[in-house]
Amino acid sequence: MTFNVPTLIRANIFQRRTRAAIAILAVAIEVTAVMLLVGLTSGTINEVSGRIQALGADIMFRPAGSSPLLGLSDTTMPTSAVDWLLEVDGVDSASPVMIWTTSQVADAPTNMFGIDPEPFEWVGGQLEILDGRRLQSGYEIIVDRRLASTEDLSVGQELEILGQNWTIVGIYRAGIGARMMVPLPTLQEILGLPNKTHVVFLKVDSGTEPSAVANRIGQELPGYESTLMAQYAEVLRENIVGLDQFNGAISSIAVVLSFLVILLAMYTSIIERTREIGILKALGASKTYIMRTIIGESVLLCSIGAAVGVGFAYLARWVLVSRYQTLSVEFTMEWLIYAVLLGLAGGTLGAFYPALRAARQDAVRALRHE
Amino acid sequence: MTMDDAPSILRTVGLEKSYDLGRIKVRAVCGIDLAIKKGEFVSIMGPSGCGKSTLLYLIGGMTNPTRGSVFVGDTDITHLSDSERTALRRERIGFVFQRFNLFPTLSALGNVRLAQEIQGWKDRKEAGEGARELLGWVGLADKDSRRPYELSIGEQQRVAIARALVGMPEILLADEPTGNLDTDNSLQIMRVFESLNEKHSQTILMITHNPEIAARADRTIHMRDGRIVDVEGKS
Ligand SMILES: Nc1ncnc2c1ncn2[C@@H]1O[C@H](COP(=O)(O)OP(=O)(O)OP(=O)(O)O)[C@@H](O)[C@H]1O
Ligand SMILES: [Mg+2]
């Protein structure tokens, strides 16, 4: 460090280690909390939407009012919708999919797709079988590689879901649709919903704009909704009610807490150093110098805290992801910077009042203080 | 050397400071007229509570008088803004107090360099050399990396003097600098003051309760109840 980094700042941080450590920790926790929270929500959204988008379909067709977040709504439509849809100009193929969410296989609720293997591949769902074979009929199930490895599943094994025993007949490359798939007719039967489906995935004719096709469908089949798969991530985000507010609220609480910790740390520190402030004034230190010293100390503490917080966040992500392998935590540079700025802002604002008080302190009274 | 014709470097005119405590009014300093010439070494004596420290704070521009003026050179500092007075103190006045002068988190050298930093010294090398030279003057060249609690009280006071001398202030104000010291240490401080005064014509205004220490100055001012009651010594 150079002579230009105020001498007192360095000394105060190094000599008052416990206080410094607590302030650093508070800011670090704030930064970690914001990064993890945002990373976890956007990671999950991107992972889910990425998997659905990886189907390769152009349009998701579903009953109006149902959630685009698969597995959240029970609203169904008749499978005959597939036939109407195939009539619409520009629709190349259509694949009905039923969704069932189960907690019987992994720790976290996991979606299972009921599919018709052929049309599913026609709309783009290329299930690359890594082990075993494709789905045919009856109580057969295929699982993706990630689920197979976290839950230690292999071909030939049986799984109990919905009170039935399913035989694993194949393992496919992860990243497409859901982590488990069963034949559509079997799922319809167990759920007591013959000839029903939750959604229909569509592929448009090559060279046709999916949005134009979606508009036509909207005109011909009112009462349904068509989501363009290219916009799926945004649609998901908008449909998770209160997500941004929740993130905002938790971030604000984290900022306020670190602000208060810094305020308290700097405030007690200037009270404890009242006489030192008197000496500074006797030495001719200006108000600006005194404020700069105190705010500078806080900014330095917060910067260290922010750096530690970023480190913590990466560490926490590593721990989370290696412990819960189906979890996705995504950090973006934008949010990293935002979290660090929040940490610095809380710290600077927290130090402002103590700094102002110190600068305005009556010199003689400060000197008489012991 | 005669100083009779030299202009005053420090002058107070009808200086008054009172504290309003609601029903009672404490008149800490009332009507002090004082003139100190460049290169003079003046001591102030008087019973506790007679207003000695208050006078020193007024002269150093640490607080504003209720009435009267303080001239440093030709400048009436009571007419300056707070920040102008701070700047004047930074450039022209050095302070030494009775105790707890030093920043406990800084070494002896760090304390001196803090004063340099406040004065805006930029050149690292020059600052380091200057600080070591000052510590050498007060006989602490070999203890510059020690922290205050690793130094005796007498040594701490000498560091405080070295720090007060950063930038060579025109006036050195000392409030009982030997108040907490034994005779040997007090004499050591006095030798530093005397050598500064003789070799560098440093103007010094020093408060003390010790008559022997006071007698070593050119002049001794006696105060009581906020007033000057007697002046002993030359001029
Ligand atoms: N902030 C204040 N409010 C009210 N009275 C004060 C204040 N500061 C000082 N005084 C009073 O002013 C008077 C002079 O105080 P001062 O500290 O100048 O005395 P002193 O001569 O330096 O005493 P000592 O030798 O004990 O240091 C005292 O009576 C003191 O009680
Ligand atoms: Mg006093």
Side-chain angles (χ1 to χ4, degrees), chain A residues 307-336:
Chain A
V308 171
V310 170
F312 274 178
Y314 277 94
L315 192 72
R317 176 171 77 166
W318 179 78
V319 170
L320 279 176
V321 171
S322 50
R323 179 141 163 53
Y324 309 99
Q325 290 172 19
T326 48
L327 216 59
S328 296
V329 183
E330 227 166 73
F331 294 152
T332 62
M333 191 43 76
E334 192 186 334
W335 272 94
L336 191 148

Side-chain angles (χ1 to χ4, degrees), chain B residues 29-50:
Chain B
V29 165
C30 33
I32 289 203
D33 298 296
L34 178 71
I36 294 175
K37 296 191 173 71
K38 178 163 169 40
E40 237 192 322
F41 185 175
V42 176
S43 59
I44 302 177
M45 288 194 73
S48 184
C50 72

Side-chain angles (χ1 to χ4, degrees), chain A residues 208-229:
Chain A
T208 311
E209 263 307 308
S211 55
V213 178
N215 284 341
R216 264 200 296 282
I217 296 172
Q219 279 160 14
E220 292 181 29
L221 300 168
Y224 292 90
E225 263 174 60
S226 298
T227 304
L228 296 175
M229 294 312 286

Side-chain angles (χ1 to χ4, degrees), chain A residues 140-204:
Chain A
E140 289 181 354
I141 184 167
I142 57 175
V143 300
D144 80 0
R145 166 67 80 210
R146 203 153 150 194
L147 190 68
S149 75
T150 57
E151 302 305 317
D152 217 9
L153 304 174
S154 53
V155 173
Q157 214 172 313
E158 298 216 322
L159 283 179
E160 201 196 308
I161 303 165
L162 284 164
Q164 302 290 334
N165 282 326
W166 306 74
T167 308
I168 301 176
V169 297
I171 290 170
Y172 58 97
R173 187 180 296 285
I176 290 182
R179 301 203 181 283
M180 298 182 280
M181 312 228 175
V182 298
L184 178 64
T186 318
L187 189 57
Q188 286 171 330
E189 190 185 317
I190 299 179
L191 295 178
L193 299 165
N195 302 318
K196 297 279 185 193
T197 186
H198 289 117
V199 292
V200 178
F201 287 103
L202 301 174
K203 183 102 195 153
V204 301

